[in-house]
Amino acid sequence: MASYCICLFFCILHSVSLLTGGSCGLVFCPPWERCIEGRCSCKPPYLCPSENTTRVCGQDNRSYRSYCQAMALSCRLNKPIMSHFAEECEADFISFDTLTSDHDTKSYPDACVSVRCQGYESSLAECVIYDHIRIGSRKVATATCYDDATAPKECGFRCVNSKCVSLNQTCDGVDDCGDRSDEMCCKQCRKGALRCKTGVCVSRDSIDDGQIDCLDGEDEAVKQSHHTVSLDRAYLESKLSCGIPNAETVDDEGGADRGRTSRVKRVVGGVPAKPTQIQWQIALEDNRKIDCGGAYIGGCWVLTAAHCVRTNPNHFRVKFSLWKKSKAQDTTDIVPVEEIHIHPRYNASTYENDIALVQLQKLPFQEKCFVDNPAVSAVCVPWSVHLFNPNHTCSISGWGRTADGRAAKVLLWANVSLIDDCVKFYGGRFKPGMMCAGDLDGSVDSCQGDSGGPLVCEDEVGVSYLWGIVSWGEKCGQPGYPGVYTQVAHYFEWIRHHTGWPAVTRFNS
């Protein structure tokens, strides 16, 4: 039940929230729905995850492979489908006796349980029931259901789904609306709730509970003595197929030393990477010459800048785990290109939509494109433009020109900061789908020869995302001219449309 989509909800002004139409991407759709043009729509059941799931039973005694699959079918048919969680569906249905406080004169039942519901369930059978407390021979749960007839006449806050809740119920970490719209765009949170960096309030019970509620996972980063301790690496690697370098081969010595007129294809201020440190970095070879980089996103797919490629795939090869630009190392793989997908609205004169997918050739009689290589890992593709905020520190890498103007002989990398309001530097030349990063003093920048290379940001739990692709800029490494990057999250649906591969990110399966 932990596969999520991010979707658009429009906000309404109230006292503790700053709510605007720009709130797209702040809240989750249910796992059985997906985002289509900013709205949550029912998934086809086959899009639900099939591995590591718990089977459920339908009201027709049919077995479904997961809760997501049953709810996706229920969503599409617009009627309840699920009965209960069970491996075998011949067993008796779980039933609930309803007792109402207004009319029931029976004595209080002799057992209690705790029930956790999300607000979209059609019966208690769909909620998570836990912490059974036996008082006798029975178990009881209480639930408060939303009823239009008893809704307050004066609406303190109207949810996106049209429910009304009290103003005091907003920004308290409790999803009273059922779509989390009462917990988004908050300036601060009530009752000790945790405020995510995106302005969403989540309950204190959400901290370190194994479920990621904040977009960057900060609720799952354990706080101890004012230091953030990342989730156990083995746990992360068991859950993810991207964003976690192979610890056995990553070579990150000296990690504490990480650095912080005409339009040019813009690592000044960088330091040499270790030979297998940046495991998603690729070199794009064009007719035996390397002028561009890119990032491996999994499967047979690489992302790069559109200005780095042409539609003829025969001119290109992709080099994995390359360190010295002119010489392969033991871990280097060289893979031919099958097809190149340039964004259909790419404008070479303005660098708008400067993004391209490179599809690799598969090995003979196999579904993979290169032999498993422990020095190669995929970086995650971000699904929301709100995942990282201005001033977040990220890293860039490439073989571009150094501070003295010479081409780098080995892969360089450096830290840069995400920069807000880039239009003030470049005016009308800054278009939707672009973003800026660097140091405003010009000490760190991406420069000619780094085009198509990755700008990678790490979230609170140590997962790395391809946040940007080196695109363009002016006066490389000069104050007041930050590097301009293609914002990958802006093109998430386009990427998914072409890859057809559900694991380009750890969500949206």
Side-chain angles (χ1 to χ4, degrees), residues 1 32 46 48-49 110 120 131 164 175 181 205 219 226 240 289 314 385 414 426 449 458:
M1 297 168 61
W32 50 90
Y46 68 83
C48 287
D110 50 11
Y120 41 65
D131 290 346
C164 279
D175 181 14
S181 55
D205 294 337
D219 57 303
H226 305 290
L240 303 179
K289 186 178 179 182
N314 296 327
V385 296
Y426 293 110
E458 189 176 294

Side-chain angles (χ1 to χ4, degrees), residues 4-297:
Y4 294 102
C5 171
I6 309 304
C7 209
L8 168 65
F9 287 93
F10 290 98
C11 299
I12 306 167
L13 286 171
H14 62 89
S15 62
V16 295
S17 294
L18 177 60
L19 307 174
T20 70
S23 302
C24 180
L26 294 181
V27 293
F28 296 132
C29 290
W32 50 90
E33 296 183 0
R34 56 181 176 170
C35 282
I36 298 178
E37 296 181 352
R39 296 290 177 184
C40 294
S41 300
C42 303
K43 276 184 181 178
Y46 68 83
L47 288 182
C48 287
S50 58
E51 298 180 359
N52 300 319
T53 58
T54 301
R55 301 192 72 84
V56 302
C57 296
Q59 296 181 4
D60 55 0
N61 278 345
R62 177 184 170 187
S63 177
Y64 296 89
R65 70 169 179 257
S66 67
Y67 178 71
C68 173
Q69 185 190 42
M71 293 303 291
L73 184 61
S74 177
C75 179
R76 294 173 75 84
L77 297 179
N78 196 28
K79 67 177 185 180
I81 295 294
M82 180 177 165
S83 169
H84 59 285
F85 291 92
E87 290 291 333
E88 300 294 332
C89 293
E90 288 75 20
D92 293 337
F93 288 105
I94 295 176
S95 61
F96 295 90
D97 295 325
T98 302
L99 311 177
T100 60
S101 57
D102 292 340
H103 304 96
D104 196 345
T105 58
K106 298 178 183 179
S107 61
Y108 194 77
D110 50 11
C112 288
V113 295
S114 298
V115 180
R116 178 176 294 169
C117 303
Q118 298 294 318
Y120 41 65
E121 294 82 359
S122 58
S123 76
L124 283 176
E126 297 168 19
C127 299
V128 178
I129 301 175
Y130 61 103
D131 290 346
H132 298 256
I133 303 174
R134 297 209 63 84
I135 304 175
S137 60
R138 301 186 65 190
K139 298 175 182 178
V140 64
T142 61
T144 302
C145 300
Y146 182 82
D147 186 350
D148 285 324
T150 60
K153 293 183 179 180
E154 293 186 5
C155 192
F157 178 83
R158 185 169 295 279
C159 311
V160 171
N161 59 18
S162 78
K163 290 181 183 178
C164 279
V165 299
S166 164
L167 197 60
N168 289 331
Q169 291 176 291
T170 60
C171 297
D172 62 357
V174 178
D175 181 14
D176 297 288
C177 287
D179 58 17
R180 297 186 76 173
S181 55
D182 59 314
E183 299 305 317
M184 61 182 292
C185 313
C186 300
K187 291 182 179 179
Q188 58 187 26
C189 298
R190 310 176 198 266
K191 301 179 182 178
L194 171 67
R195 183 184 182 275
C196 304
K197 292 185 178 69
T198 53
V200 175
C201 292
V202 298
S203 168
R204 295 186 66 179
D205 294 337
S206 300
I207 300 174
D208 196 27
D209 66 349
Q211 297 277 346
I212 291 179
D213 296 281
C214 298
L215 291 185
D216 63 356
E218 61 189 285
D219 57 303
E220 293 306 303
V222 182
K223 308 293 183 181
Q224 294 179 348
S225 302
H226 305 290
H227 294 285
T228 299
V229 181
S230 294
L231 287 179
D232 179 76
R233 186 184 194 92
Y235 171 81
L236 281 175
E237 290 180 341
S238 71
K239 297 293 183 182
L240 303 179
S241 57
C242 63
I244 301 292
N246 187 335
E248 295 181 0
T249 57
V250 68
D251 187 357
D252 195 13
E253 295 177 16
D257 296 331
R258 294 186 173 189
R260 300 239 350 141
T261 121
S262 62
R263 184 179 306 203
V264 294
K265 305 167 187 175
R266 302 188 37 123
V267 159
V268 167
V271 296
K274 299 302 178 180
T276 57
Q277 177 182 332
I278 305 174
Q279 298 183 357
W280 31 75
Q281 175 81 46
I282 65 96
L284 189 63
E285 186 181 74
D286 180 358
N287 287 326
R288 301 183 179 275
K289 186 178 179 182
I290 297 174
D291 286 324
C292 283
Y296 176 55
I297 60 172

Side-chain angles (χ1 to χ4, degrees), residues 233 243-259 267 270-282 320-324 329 331 373-379 394-399 410-415 454 456 458 464:
R233 186 184 194 92
I244 301 292
N246 187 335
E248 295 181 0
T249 57
V250 68
D251 187 357
D252 195 13
E253 295 177 16
D257 296 331
R258 294 186 173 189
V267 159
V271 296
K274 299 302 178 180
T276 57
Q277 177 182 332
I278 305 174
Q279 298 183 357
W280 31 75
Q281 175 81 46
I282 65 96
F320 291 86
S321 191
L322 187 69
W323 183 52
K324 291 183 178 180
Q329 58 187 16
T331 57
N373 186 341
V376 176
S377 300
V379 65
C394 305
S395 65
I396 53 175
S397 52
W399 293 270
V410 301
L411 183 65
L412 301 178
W413 75 274
N415 278 347
V456 173
E458 189 176 294
S464 294

Side-chain angles (χ1 to χ4, degrees), residues 348-400:
S349 63
T350 64
Y351 286 78
E352 290 180 86
N353 307 304
D354 189 15
I355 187 171
L357 274 163
V358 177
Q359 187 174 0
L360 307 175
Q361 284 188 19
K362 293 181 179 179
L363 294 170
F365 311 109
Q366 297 190 51
E367 288 302 310
K368 54 187 180 182
C369 304
F370 53 90
V371 177
D372 292 342
N373 186 341
V376 176
S377 300
V379 65
C380 291
V381 177
W383 69 97
S384 167
V385 296
H386 296 278
L387 184 54
F388 299 104
N389 297 312
N391 299 319
H392 191 95
T393 300
C394 305
S395 65
I396 53 175
S397 52
W399 293 270

